[in-house]
Every structure is written in C-alpha cells, then in structure tokens.
Amino acid sequence: MLNSFHKQTYRWIQNLFLFFSFFSSFYTCTTIGFHRESVRNNIPFGSERTFQVCTIIESGIEKEEVLDLFRYWNEELKLYSLQANFVNYGTMERPGFFGSDILNYIANLPMHQDCDRILYLKGRTNGDLVFEFFTLGLFVGTGLKLEVQGAVESRTQTRGYIKAKYISLLQVLFTSPKSTLVHEGYHLLGCGHQLFMDDCYEKIRDVKSLSSEQNIEKNFFPNITASGKRIRTRN
C-alpha cells in the first residue's frame, strides 16, 4: 500500500514537472533532470568511449574558451565513461539572427566522416546586445524569459548549438555557457526532459551498447533519439 502511494506521488510530481516544462519550453530549454547517484551507480556504462564533436565557431570566440567548455563537459561525461573530442569545423558568420536559423542550418549540414556530432558555438553581435536588453526589460516587466541559450535538433539529436558568449546579468543568473553545453550535451546523447535522470542514464547505456553493433556506419558513434529512433549513420 505504501509502495503504491509512493508511486502515485512520484507520477504526480513528474506530471506536474512535465506540465510546467511544456509551457516553459516556449521560452527556453528546460532542465534535463535531477541526478540520482544511487541509480546511476548501478548502471553498467561499459568501457571508455570517445566521440568526435565537429565544432563550428563564430568570430570572437577564442580557442581556449572552446577548450575550456569541452573540459567542463568532459568532467560530466566521466560519469558514463565517455569523452567528447573537440574537432575544429571552421569559423563562419551566423546563418541568421535567431537560434532557429542556426538550428535549421546545422540540421541540414552534411556530417563529415570524422564527425559523430556537430556543435555550433554562437558568439555575440551588436544585434545580440540590443536583443538582450529587450529581453531583460521584458523579463523584469512580465517575468517571461525569451532568450534561448541552446538547442538540439530533434530528428537525429546529433546536431546542436549553444550560446558561448554571455553578457547580461539575466543570462548569468540563469545559466552559463558551460552548464548550457552540459545540458545540450545530454540531448546530443539522446536524452529528453524528465524530473529525474533515470531514463537518461539508461539511454546513454543503450547508445554505448548500440555503438558495438555491426550495422553501424564505420567509426560512427550512434544515437537513440528521445522518441526511440536509432541513428546508425551520419547522414
């Protein structure tokens, strides 16, 4: 009887979390979930694996900043015996002003044979500064937070972007480039949004297991999307 009560309470909390996540998703990417070390420690993640992250960098972002982001991300990935290797995919001007423009661009970008994931690092322009002041005023006036700090396309969850340059107090209060990369990095491993990370742990384990199957493109680290689609090839 007590177990049944606990399960019902857990489902109620989770549904409440997903309800608020739905509405907040109009404004920003919601939380990946809360860690549960006791659950994670009982999941076998297998041997150490490294996946290649081809990274597009906007002007104004220094290489050391990029390497610092990857160092922080890799500390999180150690939990799963994983490492992300930075591969410089070149510097370019932004394909559009909004994050959706970037996402559409990379979603249709062919993936080179040396890549397992594509990451776009968004910098800061004069237009961004104006938009940040606008969103700060809107947040103070209405409580709505319109800035999106990063996203991953949902078709394969192998391509995403983050905002790598912050300036406003609002951004610093809510997140940072490092924490945004960790967040979107989980999406790049197939994780969705949840209250606790139990499902995400299992997804990462399953992705690593899938990588050892024979019907995977050569030297490709595959993915399993949040909807369960198995991504076995780069393109």
Side-chain angles (χ1 to χ4, degrees), residues 1 11 13 19 24 27 35 83 96 112 135 143 197 204 227:
M1 180 119 180
R11 289 195 193 100
I13 294 172
F19 173 79
S24 63
Y27 310 111
H35 274 294
Q83 289 289 277
H112 191 268
T135 57
M197 291 188 62
I204 294 172
S227 64

Side-chain angles (χ1 to χ4, degrees), residues 54 89 105-118 153 155-159 215-223 229-235:
C54 290
Y89 217 39
Y105 172 77
I106 59 177
N108 296 293
L109 190 66
M111 189 177 290
H112 191 268
Q113 63 179 3
D114 295 331
C115 308
D116 297 310
R117 303 291 187 270
I118 293 177
E153 51 82 19
R155 185 175 59 86
T156 67
Q157 288 186 227
T158 59
R159 298 160 170 85
N215 59 344
I216 303 298
E217 184 177 342
K218 185 178 180 181
N219 297 326
F220 175 58
F221 187 74
N223 206 9
K229 182 181 179 182
R230 293 173 181 263
I231 307 301
R232 294 181 167 91
T233 63
R234 290 178 172 86
N235 299 297

Side-chain angles (χ1 to χ4, degrees), residues 125-181:
T125 65
N126 290 333
D128 294 326
L129 297 178
V130 174
F131 186 69
E132 286 166 11
F133 281 117
F134 166 76
T135 57
L136 179 59
L138 188 65
F139 177 76
V140 171
T142 67
L144 296 179
K145 180 175 174 286
L146 290 182
E147 281 190 290
V148 177
Q149 312 303 342
V152 169
E153 51 82 19
S154 60
R155 185 175 59 86
T156 67
Q157 288 186 227
T158 59
R159 298 160 170 85
Y161 83 91
I162 69 161
K163 191 166 190 176
K165 285 280 192 180
Y166 286 15
I167 187 171
S168 72
L169 176 62
L170 177 61
Q171 293 169 328
V172 175
L173 286 174
F174 278 95
T175 186
S176 70
K178 290 178 180 178
S179 60
T180 301
L181 179 55

Side-chain angles (χ1 to χ4, degrees), residues 24-43:
S24 63
S25 67
F26 285 101
Y27 310 111
T28 184
C29 202
T30 54
T31 180
I32 281 291
F34 296 102
H35 274 294
R36 292 215 295 178
E37 187 176 352
S38 60
V39 174
R40 189 182 66 238
N41 289 343
N42 285 318
I43 295 178

